[in-house]
Amino acid sequence: MASTTTGKRKGSACGEQGGGDGDSQSGKATRSSIPDLPEDILFRIHSLMPMREAARVACVSRAFFHSWRCHSSLIFNKDTIGLKRSACGENFDHKIDRILRNHSGCLKTFNIDYYGTSGFTGTSYFDRWLQIALKPGIEELTLVLSETKGKYNFPCSLLSDGVRNSLRYLRLRFCALHPPVELGPLRSLKSLYLWRVNITWNELECLISNSLTLELLDLISCPEIECLKLPCALQRLSALSVLACERLKVIESKAPNLSSLYLCGNWLDFSLVETLPIKELELQQTNLIRDARAKLPSLMPNIETLAIQSSREVVDAPMLPTKFLHLKHLTITVRSGAIVSRAYDYFSLVSFLDASPSLETLILDVTQRRMVHESIFADSQLRHMPEHRHGHLKNVKISGFNSAKCVVELTCYILKNAVSLECLTLDTIYGSRCDDQGEDNWCTPMTNGILMEIPWALLAIKTHIENEVPPTVHLTVLEPCSKCHANGLERVLSQS
């Protein structure tokens, strides 16, 4: 299939011309010869194209022009609309409006995302757009708005019985969603994402209480939700994510297959989370380690994968008799910032190892933006814990490895007691690396404090770690890459 367009048309969508009559009004594009195929096959071919390509081919092919007006997937963002960086929100709205005015309204996917656009002009168009989009047969609806003084009041009256029967994916950002009690549930819904949406639990319950197909519920900064009481009717609900819902006081679940839970925010109180059959748990909060070690084994005894991210820790991990009997994969991130009230004893994380007899993978991030711990070179006398053999631990990675004595002690403990260990990776930086993402990416930027510590970390590995590595263990030491950090490291060392 060939088409001929001019440079001026590059980056634009057919809908920008308002749909036209199917001919190129500028005279700078010529029609392509399309094989004489049945209309349903042409429609099928067209529906498989990304939206921008579908619009472009409709501009130069009469055979595809009618199909464009019936295109079942409309995804509007700065990339698909072809906005330049200086383009304003009014231009974004205008292009969407021109396309929708010439569309048949038979949609399966309708996505509007204002992220990355400037000059958001408000919500005056939205009711009309949603009237076009929300028809029986719609499966995916995304409305990601920019922050304004008042949130857009989502028109729940458009959620007809037919729409509620077909809608499978709903994602809303910066809206108010207040469904009436008589509305009824979204019966076919599989995924629900609410980000900065004003909705109470009673209202949310109206939408999902009998959503027998719901699999994922994601709530971010929903200020009116004070409790979550998930009923047993949510038979397929497997993943729940709650981020920064500061008024949330309690989470209860009778959903029998809920196995993955992500909680983030300083509101988190373990005493308000009832015992759950969770297998995957991710927690993010300040000063979290002690409570996680003390309370999680009894609250969530079936955990197999646990990720904890904490900062500003004031209490070390306690040694306790309780166990994570099923835990196989553990990730702990305890980073210290530029202002540190105390030096956290990373060696205390041995408590998690000794409590996890089935552990197979351990990932630690012990990055310190400013070195406040006692260096192994100031006191090389290592502390020792009672021997505790770990027969399943195979892979360990420590990011942000440094010369802190407690970090070296923890590493030596692992090498001595993890009799099944196969791979140990010590990364002197943290975050992503350009080698992991392709040539056009860069490693995570590092502070001067981290860069200054790297030579000491490498020396600590050479003098205190390498000789402790058994011959059956493969040791990998990752240094700053030459592309991203070499110049910065040289600069920092020259100033020290």
Side-chain angles (χ1 to χ4, degrees), residues 93 114 120-130 143 145-155 173-176:
D93 291 344
Y114 278 85
F120 180 60
T121 58
T123 61
S124 58
Y125 290 104
F126 292 165
D127 283 355
R128 182 170 72 250
W129 294 348
L130 291 175
L143 194 59
L145 307 184
S146 298
E147 187 169 349
T148 59
K149 292 182 179 180
K151 293 183 178 178
Y152 173 61
N153 192 13
F154 186 90
R173 180 184 185 270
F174 223 87
C175 300

Side-chain angles (χ1 to χ4, degrees), residues 325-343:
L325 293 177
H326 304 285
L327 187 62
K328 295 181 179 180
H329 309 286
L330 175 63
T331 300
I332 299 179
T333 300
V334 188
R335 293 180 182 172
S336 62
I339 301 176
V340 183
S341 58
R342 66 183 294 274

Side-chain angles (χ1 to χ4, degrees), residues 254-274:
K254 296 180 180 178
N257 294 305
L258 181 62
S259 60
S260 178
L261 178 63
Y262 170 63
L263 300 175
C264 174
N266 292 329
W267 54 270
L268 180 60
D269 184 344
F270 285 106
S271 66
L272 301 178
V273 181
E274 69 164 22

Side-chain angles (χ1 to χ4, degrees), residues 448 452 488-496:
N448 283 355
M452 289 180 65
L489 182 57
E490 183 179 347
R491 183 184 68 253
V492 169
L493 292 177
S494 65
Q495 296 173 353
S496 61

Side-chain angles (χ1 to χ4, degrees), residues 211-348:
S211 298
L212 305 182
T213 58
L214 186 65
E215 298 175 357
L216 186 150
L217 176 60
D218 197 330
L219 306 174
I220 302 176
S221 298
C222 295
E224 297 181 9
I225 294 181
E226 298 184 358
C227 69
L228 286 176
K229 298 182 179 181
L230 305 173
C232 61
L234 300 179
Q235 294 284 318
R236 296 189 182 180
L237 183 65
S238 60
L240 171 65
S241 177
V242 183
L243 170 64
C245 295
E246 301 296 341
R247 296 181 65 186
L248 184 62
K249 294 184 176 66
V250 63
I251 298 176
E252 297 177 2
S253 175
K254 296 180 180 178
N257 294 305
L258 181 62
S259 60
S260 178
L261 178 63
Y262 170 63
L263 300 175
C264 174
N266 292 329
W267 54 270
L268 180 60
D269 184 344
F270 285 106
S271 66
L272 301 178
V273 181
E274 69 164 22
T275 302
L276 299 174
I278 299 298
K279 292 186 177 181
E280 297 181 11
L281 177 65
E282 183 173 353
L283 301 172
Q284 185 175 343
Q285 184 183 321
T286 58
N287 197 27
L288 175 64
I289 298 294
R290 180 185 181 278
D291 279 351
R293 175 63 187 91
K295 299 176 180 179
L296 284 180
S298 58
L299 283 173
M300 300 176 187
N302 298 316
I303 291 178
E304 296 179 2
T305 300
L306 173 62
I308 300 173
Q309 182 171 332
S310 182
S311 60
R312 296 196 294 275
E313 286 291 324
V314 297
V315 181
D316 298 329
M319 295 298 294
L320 298 170
T322 52
K323 302 290 185 182
F324 296 97
L325 293 177
H326 304 285
L327 187 62
K328 295 181 179 180
H329 309 286
L330 175 63
T331 300
I332 299 179
T333 300
V334 188
R335 293 180 182 172
S336 62
I339 301 176
V340 183
S341 58
R342 66 183 294 274
Y344 186 77
D345 185 4
Y346 292 107
F347 195 26
S348 71

Side-chain angles (χ1 to χ4, degrees), residues 107 115 142 153 181 317 357 373 468:
L107 288 168
Y115 182 79
T142 297
N153 192 13
V181 176
H373 288 70
E468 302 296 325

Side-chain angles (χ1 to χ4, degrees), residues 434-481:
C434 57
D435 292 342
D436 298 332
Q437 304 178 59
E439 295 181 356
D440 295 331
N441 291 282
W442 292 81
C443 297
T444 301
M446 299 292 130
T447 64
N448 283 355
I450 293 174
L451 292 174
M452 289 180 65
E453 170 58 24
I454 288 172
W456 295 107
L458 295 172
L459 183 59
I461 294 171
K462 186 174 183 62
T463 57
H464 291 84
I465 302 297
E466 288 183 354
N467 291 336
E468 302 296 325
V469 179
T472 56
V473 176
H474 178 70
L475 173 64
T476 301
V477 178
L478 300 178
E479 304 182 22
C481 77

